[in-house]
């Protein structure tokens, strides 16, 4: 699907699906290729060799944030590292067809935080055996309808509010456009039905933006729970930003 050889692009808001390759059918990183992959679905890709979802080799070091890797097929490792490193945060790796979801080989290292991943194998040539850097779970993510390729989350999914917004540990949020107390794991943030429909006309659009701004400017206005898009108990500019992002996406 995508090959990053000695290159480090930002790959964002993508669906990478139904590709075929011996290695790295979804994404291949080699020769120091270190892309940032975020808010992306990787599904339906087939590698007869290794890395059906992502293959990482030759001193590459991708950063993978809020990515869902599911229903891929591989001879070894849906996410396969050889002589490389990877950093995963808020990621779901579930429901793939392979002997192992993640496999490390040839002095590789992986750091996984706040992710839902099953079946990890660490092996080969002094690869690091430490991978769990906190907040990880191994629970069915409860996709809405994986049979029909709907990988949004059901209400009640263990991945809702289970991610982290501070990606670099500096005490500040790097992710701000989420609903609830924390970002969700995976490519798709869960929202209640018609969240942001502030004027209750059945559509979320610019008229709702106008109304939420009016609510913020009028301190005596009646509280509208639909306007608290990030569910933090306040109606403020952060909710406006989130509503605009919802409309644009």
């Amino acid at each position: 699907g995508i090959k990053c050889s000695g290159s480090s692009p930002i790959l964002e808001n993508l669906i990478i699906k139904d590709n075929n390759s011996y290695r790295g059918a979804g994404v291949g990183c080699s020769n120091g290729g270190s892309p940032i992959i975020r808010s992306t679905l990787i599904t339906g890709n087939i590698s007869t060799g290794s890395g059906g979802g992502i293959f990482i080799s030759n001193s590459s070091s991708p950063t993978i944030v809020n990515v869902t890797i599911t229903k891929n097929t591989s001879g070894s490792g849906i996410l396969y590292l050889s002589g490389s490193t990877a950093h995963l945060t808020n990621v779901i790796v579930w429901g793939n067809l392979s002997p192992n979801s993640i496999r490390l080989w040839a002095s590789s290292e992986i750091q996984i935080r706040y992710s839902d991943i099953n079946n990890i194998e660490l092996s080969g040539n002094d690869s690091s055996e430490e991978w769990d850097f906190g907040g990880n779970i191994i629970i069915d993510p409860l996709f809405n309808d994986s049979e029909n390729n709907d990988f949004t989350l059901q209400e009640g999914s263990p991945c809702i509010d289970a991610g982290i917004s501070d990606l670099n540990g500096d005490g500040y949020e790097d992710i701000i456009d989420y609903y609830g107390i924390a970002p969700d794991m995976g490519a798709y943030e869960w929202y209640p039905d018609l969240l942001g429909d502030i004027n209750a006309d059945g559509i979320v659009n610019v008229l709702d933006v106008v109304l939420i701004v009016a609510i913020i400017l009028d301190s005596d206005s009646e509280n509208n729970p639909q306007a608290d898009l990030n569910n933090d108990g306040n109606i403020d500019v952060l909710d406006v930003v989130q509503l605009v992002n919802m409309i644009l996406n």
Side-chain angles (χ1 to χ4, degrees), residues 25-125:
V27 179
C29 305
S30 61
N31 301 318
S34 301
I36 297 173
I37 308 171
R38 61 193 180 207
S39 301
T40 288
L41 171 66
I42 300 175
T43 185
N45 303 287
I46 300 174
S47 285
T48 54
S50 51
I54 304 176
F55 182 82
I56 306 163
S57 66
N58 299 116
S59 301
S60 296
S61 182
T63 299
I64 303 169
V65 180
N66 283 106
V67 171
T68 297
I69 304 173
T70 185
K71 292 183 73 173
N72 301 281
T73 302
S74 183
S76 178
I78 294 301
L79 179 61
Y80 190 101
L81 281 74
S82 176
S84 296
T85 63
H87 299 81
L88 277 62
T89 308
N90 302 344
V91 171
I92 298 174
V93 183
W94 200 274
N96 298 282
L97 182 59
S98 176
N100 30 63
S101 290
I102 297 177
R103 188 175 187 197
L104 273 62
W105 191 257
S107 301
S108 293
E109 297 183 3
I110 193 167
Q111 296 183 5
I112 305 175
R113 305 166 65 232
Y114 295 87
S115 296
D116 187 9
I117 299 175
N118 65 339
N119 194 14
I120 297 175
E121 177 183 336
L122 308 176
S123 62
N125 298 344

